[in-house]
Amino acid sequence: MQRMNAATARRAALAAQGFGKRRPANPNRRAVLDVVARTRLLQLDSVSAVVRAHYAPVFSRIGPYDRGLLERAAWSDSPRARRGLVEYWAHEAALIPVADWPLLRWRMAEYRLGRWAGMRKAAERNPTLAKDILDVVTEVGAASAGEIEKHLELDKPRPKGTWWNLSDTKLICEQLFAAGELSTGRRAGFTRHYDLTERVVPADVRAREVPEDEAVRELLRRASRALGIATEPDLRDYYRLHKRQSTPAVADLVDAGELIPVAVEGWDAPAYLHPEASTPRRVTGAALLCPFDPLIFCRPRTQRLFDFHYRIEIYTPEPKRVHGYYVFPFLLDGALVGRVDLRAERATGRLLAPAAFAEPGHATPETARALRDALREMADWLELDEVVVGARGDLAPLL
């Protein structure tokens, strides 16, 4: 078994995710898709406190870019620019390369009756609703759940006591999406407009049938390349695989020489290095990382790689929050050196930073200068005029 110190492992992980590279001068569609070619997925999330989660990781890696490039790659299709990304349940709801869609057919089979009990109950209450929805979408094209309801002339009360308070039509649309019968043809704002998968995913991609064991191995190969170096739980978490799937698959990949067992200094579990992972001598540059960035969305891995304890506090009552509502870790020259609570106040054109905290040893003018520049760059990208720093945290006075 190879041995590696923790600093080298950290640099391998950062390089695999695309950090430390020279930014393109004028990011184009190819630069955006190159980011996803490295990360393999961009998590989707409804929180819009600063910017939707799928946009932020691209900005963190290539700097200011036209968000329309990502939107068009995911939610439009034309002979001149074919759809490059498609939505499905990967880590969570995510954008993935269109070519990866067949690797998740086994999950679509698992979800054929829905991802959770509420969907199954909705189907039991409305045994013909799925067919009715498919008929509407076939006739009218991509449509939101609300538009589908209007076509079906439904005006029924929503079930009481559910957190999301979703209508049965929305629940069945989500069931059909999870089962792979519907996909996302486009989005308006953040509203999903469902379309037949055959009109979203190309025929040659849909025709690929990948057995589950082979698909799992391929997903683990992709996770390994995206992570650079990872434990088995890290690899499993990337696509939210079951342990029963990942354990034998990792063993197969080790036997085939496609994962290299490594003992990393200070790690409490065996690690696996991708054979083509680079281990640069230095990783330089600054980046603000949204809570759902693929580099940090596995919190135990973030702790292990960076000695950085990170928990999202959106659902924590305000008086009990430690760092803030929507906190971005700050990456500087290969280390997580601080964190900043951020809010985009679009009505007034301000990027608000109510709190900024340094990691031990990093409450320095150098950290503050780098964070100041990163905040100004983000504000410019979001077309916000002013950056307003609050009083909380040891970095705030320095900012």
Side-chain angles (χ1 to χ4, degrees), residues 26-257:
N26 296 295
N28 56 15
R29 175 187 170 99
R30 174 44 50 198
V32 170
L33 290 177
D34 281 348
V35 171
V36 191
R38 281 187 172 272
T39 66
R40 304 311 302 183
L41 52 84
L42 296 172
Q43 187 171 336
L44 295 160
D45 190 83
S46 60
V47 177
S48 60
V50 181
V51 64
R52 300 282 185 189
H54 52 288
Y55 297 112
V58 180
F59 169 72
S60 299
R61 287 155 178 79
I62 66 173
Y65 72 101
D66 175 5
R67 295 193 294 281
L69 293 169
L70 180 58
E71 292 165 2
R72 290 189 288 275
W75 298 304
S76 69
D77 196 22
S78 71
R80 293 185 61 188
R82 306 306 304 182
R83 189 188 303 267
L85 306 172
V86 67
E87 291 186 33
Y88 193 63
W89 293 100
H91 179 74
E92 292 288 339
L95 291 170
I96 60 174
V98 170
D100 288 0
W101 187 87
L103 300 176
L104 293 159
R105 280 186 180 277
W106 57 270
R107 180 165 285 163
M108 296 170 199
E110 280 190 357
Y111 290 164
R112 67 190 182 281
L113 300 179
R115 294 181 55 244
W116 47 288
M119 292 181 185
R120 293 189 288 275
K121 290 177 181 177
E124 291 167 4
R125 287 193 297 269
N126 307 275
T128 66
L129 185 52
K131 180 181 181 304
D132 294 340
I133 289 170
L134 290 171
D135 287 346
V136 168
V137 174
T138 300
E139 180 181 348
V140 306
S144 68
E147 291 168 344
I148 292 168
E149 277 195 342
K150 289 178 182 177
H151 280 280
L152 294 172
E153 298 182 344
L154 293 177
D155 187 18
K156 298 178 181 177
R158 302 183 178 202
K160 300 295 184 183
T162 56
W163 184 40
W164 293 104
N165 197 25
L166 299 175
S167 71
D168 281 0
T169 302
K170 175 65 173 176
L171 289 171
I172 299 300
C173 284
E174 283 298 300
Q175 176 194 335
L176 292 167
F177 174 81
E181 294 186 63
L182 291 178
S183 190
T184 306
R186 60 186 176 88
R187 281 186 181 263
F190 197 65
T191 301
R192 179 180 281 157
H193 285 64
Y194 301 91
D195 204 349
L196 301 178
T197 297
E198 66 193 56
R199 297 201 288 233
V200 175
V201 179
D204 60 326
V205 176
R206 296 196 319 275
R208 284 185 58 208
E209 296 285 349
V210 187
E212 180 178 338
D213 58 345
E214 183 181 331
V216 167
R217 284 193 296 272
E218 189 56 42
L219 290 171
L220 288 168
R221 289 186 189 99
R222 280 159 164 68
S224 174
R225 185 181 292 275
L227 293 171
I229 186 166
T231 65
E232 183 274 326
D234 296 342
L235 294 168
R236 184 200 324 157
D237 177 76
Y238 210 72
Y239 287 98
R240 293 292 166 90
L241 302 172
H242 300 292
K243 186 175 182 179
R244 60 172 170 74
Q245 296 172 304
S246 60
T247 300
V250 166
D252 289 346
L253 293 172
V254 170
D255 288 345

Side-chain angles (χ1 to χ4, degrees), residues 232-387:
E232 183 274 326
D234 296 342
L235 294 168
R236 184 200 324 157
D237 177 76
Y238 210 72
Y239 287 98
R240 293 292 166 90
L241 302 172
H242 300 292
K243 186 175 182 179
R244 60 172 170 74
Q245 296 172 304
S246 60
T247 300
V250 166
D252 289 346
L253 293 172
V254 170
D255 288 345
E258 296 183 73
L259 292 178
I260 301 169
V262 178
V264 179
E265 175 189 11
W267 288 23
D268 58 1
Y272 301 93
L273 181 70
H274 191 278
E276 297 175 12
S278 85
T279 52
R281 295 174 64 88
R282 295 182 65 212
V283 174
T284 59
L288 289 160
L289 305 175
C290 88
F292 304 104
D293 192 290
L295 179 68
I296 59 169
F297 60 33
C298 181
R299 309 306 189 207
R301 174 177 170 82
T302 303
Q303 177 85 52
R304 192 185 320 114
L305 272 176
F306 297 101
D307 192 24
F308 187 89
H309 183 268
Y310 181 52
R311 296 292 183 272
I312 194 166
E313 298 181 276
I314 290 174
Y315 304 113
T316 302
E318 186 172 359
K320 296 184 178 181
R321 290 179 192 144
V322 177
H323 297 110
Y325 175 78
Y326 202 65
V327 174
F328 281 58
F330 182 48
L331 177 71
L332 180 63
D333 295 339
L336 292 180
V337 299
R339 61 192 90 200
V340 56
D341 187 22
L342 290 178
R343 214 85 71 249
E345 196 176 73
R346 292 169 182 85
T348 62
R350 301 190 302 171
L351 180 64
L352 306 180
F357 301 85
E359 288 298 283
H362 291 285
T364 65
E366 292 75 19
T367 301
R369 278 195 294 270
L371 179 55
R372 177 201 62 195
D373 292 346
L375 291 171
R376 183 66 262 169
E377 182 180 59
M378 174 176 274
D380 291 343
W381 176 55
L382 297 177
E383 300 178 309
L384 301 172
D385 300 320
E386 190 178 2
V387 178

